[in-house]
Structures are given as structure tokens and as C-alpha cells.
Amino acid sequence: MRRTWLGILSKPVPGELETPSGIAAFEAAQVCPDVRFALREDWGESYSLEKTGDAYAVTGGTTGVLYGAYALIRAIAAGEPLPEGRQTPYYPLRMLDCWDNMDGTIERGYSGRSLWFEDDEFSYDPERIRQLGRMLASVGINVLCINNVNVHQPAQHLTDSLLPEVKKLAAILRPFGVRLMLSIDFSQPMQNGLDTSDPLDPRVEEWWTEHAEKVWQEIPDLAGFLVKADSEHRPGPSVYGRTHAQGANMLARAVAPFGGKIVWRAFVYNCLQDWRDTTTDRPCAAYDLYHPQDGSFDNNVILQIKYGPYDFQVREPLSPLFLGMPRTSIAMEMQLAQEYTGHQIDVYAMAPMWRELLDQAGKEKLSALVAVGNLGRDDNWTGHPFAAVNLFCFGLFAWDPDCDPETAIRLWERLTYNLPADQEETFVSMLMNSRHVYEQYTAPLGLCWMVRPDIHYGPSPYGYEFQLWGTYNRADRDAVGIDRTKKGTGFTEQYPKELAQLYADPEKCPDELLLFFHRLPYDWKMRDGRTLIQRIYDDHFDGCAAAEKMYAELKTLSIPEPDRTEALQRMERQVRNAREWRDVTNTFFHRFSGAPDAHGRRIYA
Ligand code: GCW
């Protein structure tokens, strides 16, 4: 058995258990001898728990009973009270997007190879897939998209010949309440006999309708198709002069008879920008494109929007699209894979960031929560043993977007390590603070993209400066940042008035986003009295010192092996990485500004 937060369950789920209620009874019996189940089919995913004496009762719908069993197990294992009353997930769609390629690699994967693909085939250990089902169900994740949104070759289209394999995988996960979703390539019709993929050509719609019929015949409960179109060289409707709504709705009509959804990603921008062009501003792109189309998407289309207007940076303002698409079903996309946040080498617990984002967006504006996965074949599933906290918390947030980050992180710690009380405090606050620490030594004040190009790990302040991706800081000897107010690129104008005014005023703009919205001189006076350049130096020194402190603290914790050794090895790299960030970034800005550090610390000028 591989390690998970469900260590209390020592027996693997047997393959012959084919219903959620069967699995629920099996799992609960491992923890408590006296659990009774009442199935209420009309309850769907909901459940309620009760305790009388030493006996427990789980009432729930078809998958609700399973969620109820895992909630009971979690509460017993963590020594916490049972949730009161009927529990219902807030979002019906709680999805993990896996960027797995059929050759077995994972785009932005830091936990080993794919759990289900190898050598252009499906290849997996069914026992491990059942463990995966258990993990997902135990935190309420109910949809798994198994292939990369960059559908690279026709071999990855998961069409006809591969469908029986998709069907087998779906059958293993079904009893865990997990349905599959498939990424598709918008140009599939053209690669399969037609001379066009124009969404308004009736032959194209017919092609998709027939294709959908075949797919749903094999996997009747498939959740739908996920589409990355017109983005980073992926084909899309714009090739034919059609809108995204026209493209998405054509697909939506094809899958509607089967109850399928089209999840359409809003990650669209000009990825061939000229760095000399200061008028095009990448953060403006998605809103410019989609806001005018609000209200024109079919009911079974969900627009999946990355949390920020750029791309999963450590700090971005909320994408203005969340506040500008009231007549469209939208999903927020998180990224558990730590592409820009430390490659699962650096510790980075995301729940505090999600709390901020969901509070700003307003949970009721969303119809789904989605995350790019961080799983792979590594023994511990997530590369860094602590990165599992992000998968765990994501499930809890998608179930209940009012989730408190500290409570969720503590629950994960109790289930996984159950440290003595004082150690638990140290560890939980280390995780709670880890995003702030990473932000300080990498990119404070809303400075993004100072990473090594392509791999996105390690410092490179000018790495993206003369590239075509639209990701610039425009640092020179006088100033740094981009003016995104009305006088500049106008990005602030995409927000509702109050927020636009807040962000547009450098005196009021929150410090952590200051250089996202403004171009400021190095001697700019911050509200705390420091100059901007001093704040840049201080944050890098402080962040690095905090990483060193984390390492010292980790050594004092009795995390069980092998996690302890693995975590210490990775944190040693994190500390080295933090020093590199501190020295490269501070030296970079020192060389431009010529400003000495007020505390006389060493900068490699
Ligand atoms: O962050 C970028 C990544 C790409 C990814 C893309 C996306 C799947 O660098 O690797 O491609 O985002 O989200 O589509």
C-alpha cells in the first residue's frame, strides 16, 4: 500500500466491491465495528452522520453514503466531532485535471510518470487506481480528466480504438463516485476525414455528434469534454473566424443528449507577442475576449478560468472575468502541480491563497472548482510528501468553499502524521506560512515571471523579458513594473469600479500587488516608510531567513519515515533555492538602482 492521508485504513479496497455502498461498509468496518448505513437514493451526494452510544449511523444517497463513510473515518481518526446535519457539496463538479500524456510523461508533473499511461497505451496497476479512487472519494473529488489539455498527437485523441480502455479505467473509479472527463482537440474532425473543423459547418457538428454517441455508448456516465482552444498553438474556432461561444456551443449540442458538459478553458492570450510592443498587455486578453460573449454560452458549457489573469503565479489579482461573466457558468481553475510555486521541492500549501481568491470571487458566482493535479507514480503520490496537503485541501474547498484553510491543513496533518500537540502547532503554522515565505524570496510585491524560462523553477529576473509570451517586468535603472491603470494598459478598468479605483491608486493598492499594477521608481515611499528598493531587498532576505528557519524546525519534528528524510532532503534544496533567489534578485535590482541596502547586508553588486 502506498502512503496516503488514509493510513488508518490498512486493508486495500477489494476489486470485487462494485458499489459505493459496498465500499462504504468495507471502509467503515476497518475503523469502527458498529456502523449502520441507510441508503436514501434521492440524496445523491449528500449524507448525514449520527452517533448513539458507540454506534454510528450513516445516511446518504448513492455516493453520499461513501462520502459519509469517509467523513466518519476522518472524524474518528482525527478525534474530531462529527459534522452536524445533512452535508451536501456546494459545487456539483469538483474536478481534477491531469496533464498526463499517453507516452507516460506529465506536463508540469513533479511526482513521477503517469499513473495510467505509458508507451502510448493505457498501463496501470488496478490496485493503485482503486487507492486513487479512495483518495479522491475521501475528499469528495468526483471528476477526473485523464489526459492533457494539450492533446498533442492524434494518438492521444482517445478515439475509437482506445475507448474500451477508457471504459475499463472508468469502471474501476465508478464505485468511488469518480467519473472521467476527456480532453479533446478542436481539430479532431479534420484529422479524421473531414477537410475542416469549422464549428458552423454542419458536417463538423455531425462528426462530433457521432463521435459523442460512440464515446457515451462505452462510458455512459462520462462527465464531458475539456477543451483548450485557440491557446498556445492549440487549434480553435478563431481559425474559421468563429467565436468561442460558437465553438463551445456546437460541442455542447453534441454532448447534451448524454448529459455531458463542455468545459471550455479561458486561458487564451497572444503567445507570440513582441516585447517591444507596450500596448498589448497579456492580463487584459481573457476579459477582452470573453466578457463580450457573456450570456451566449449554452447551459451545459462551463468556462474554466485560471484564478489570475496571467498564469498560476504566486501572487496575482483575481482574474476580472470572475466578476464580469454573471450570465455564464464559470469554474475557477487552481494548480496543485507546483509549476511556478516550487516544483514540489519547495513547501507551498495553497489553501490560504484559495481562501483569498474565493472570498474575492464570491463562491456563488462559480459553478465548479477545478484543479490541475499534482499526482504521479512516486510512492508518496505527490513527489514531496507534504504536497499531498494541496490535493486534500482542494477536495475540501470544492465541497465547501467556505472551508477554513487552517482547519483543513490541521485535519490533513492529523490524518497523515498525528504529531504531538506542540509539534502539530509548529508544523501547521509552517504550512500556513509557506506561501508567504515562497512569495517573499521569489517575487514579492506582485512581480511575476522572474523564473527560468520553460522549466519555471529558479530565479531569472530577465529570463522572460525579451520573449514572446507577454510576461515582462520592464525593470530599468529608474523604475520597475508596468502601469496597468487607465494611463497605462488599462487593465484596472476591467474590474468593477471600487476595485478598479483601489488598484489604480498606488497609495491604496495592496502592497502585495503594487508592482503588478504600477510602474514605480526605486525610491517610492511605501506605506510603512521604507523605500520600494529597500522593501525588495528586505523581503528577499526575510523570505530566505524564514526558509532557513523552516528547515531548522522541520528537523525537530517527529514526522514518520520515510517522509521525514524525503521532506528534509527537499527542504535542504528549498533553502539553497531560496538563497539563490535572494542573491540573484537583489543583485539584479541593486545593479539597476545602485541603491545600497540600509542594513549593509551582502549584495553581490
Ligand atoms: O502554465 C502554462 C503551462 C503549460 C500549460 C498551460 C495551460 C498545459 O506552462 O504547460 O499547458 O499553462 O494551462 O494550458
Side-chain angles (χ1 to χ4, degrees), residues 15 17-20 23 63 66-67 98 115-116 122 124-137 141-146 165-181 221 375 381:
L17 291 178
E18 285 177 352
T19 60
I23 296 175
T63 43
L66 183 60
Y67 293 144
C98 300
L115 282 162
W116 44 81
F122 278 82
Y124 54 81
D125 167 11
E127 168 52 38
R128 188 146 195 202
I129 300 297
R130 274 195 298 280
Q131 286 187 40
L132 172 68
R134 166 192 269 177
M135 272 165 83
L136 299 180
I141 295 170
N142 65 355
V143 175
L144 184 73
C145 184
I146 56 171
E165 295 300 320
V166 181
K167 179 180 177 167
K168 282 188 212 152
L169 188 70
I172 301 178
L173 290 168
R174 185 171 295 120
F176 293 92
V178 177
R179 299 157 73 198
L180 299 189
M181 181 164 291
D221 60 352
L375 294 167
W381 301 88

Side-chain angles (χ1 to χ4, degrees), residues 508-543:
K508 299 211 180 91
C509 180
D511 280 0
E512 60 272 16
L513 289 170
L514 194 60
L515 295 177
F516 192 97
F517 286 109
H518 298 280
R519 176 168 185 77
L520 295 171
Y522 295 109
D523 60 0
W524 172 264
K525 266 268 162 34
M526 306 286 293
R527 277 185 294 258
D528 65 10
R530 286 181 280 180
T531 58
L532 174 67
I533 186 70
Q534 191 57 43
R535 179 63 198 274
I536 291 176
Y537 294 154
D538 287 352
D539 274 11
H540 283 88
F541 279 112
D542 292 351

Side-chain angles (χ1 to χ4, degrees), residues 99 107-108 150 228 232 265 267 306 311 339-340:
W99 289 352
E107 182 150 351
R108 312 303 177 187
N150 289 330
K228 173 175 178 180
E232 299 184 332
R265 292 179 86 230
F267 180 58
K306 290 190 183 186
D311 186 8
E339 177 179 358
Y340 298 96

Side-chain angles (χ1 to χ4, degrees), residues 99 107-108 148-150 228 231-232 265 267 269 282 306 311-313 333 335 339-340 372 449 454 456 464:
W99 289 352
E107 182 150 351
R108 312 303 177 187
N148 190 356
V149 287
N150 289 330
K228 173 175 178 180
S231 168
E232 299 184 332
R265 292 179 86 230
F267 180 58
Y269 66 99
R282 172 165 160 185
K306 290 190 183 186
D311 186 8
F312 299 138
Q313 302 298 290
E333 182 176 339
Q335 192 188 36
E339 177 179 358
Y340 298 96
V372 177
W449 295 107
D454 306 328
H456 301 163
Y464 270 110

Side-chain angles (χ1 to χ4, degrees), residues 122 157-169 182 211 213-219 222:
F122 278 82
H157 286 170
L158 298 179
T159 40
D160 310 5
S161 63
L162 284 166
L163 285 178
E165 295 300 320
V166 181
K167 179 180 177 167
K168 282 188 212 152
L169 188 70
L182 300 177
H211 180 59
E213 251 167 44
K214 275 189 232 157
V215 175
W216 264 270
Q217 205 165 24
E218 294 283 346
I219 311 123
L222 190 84

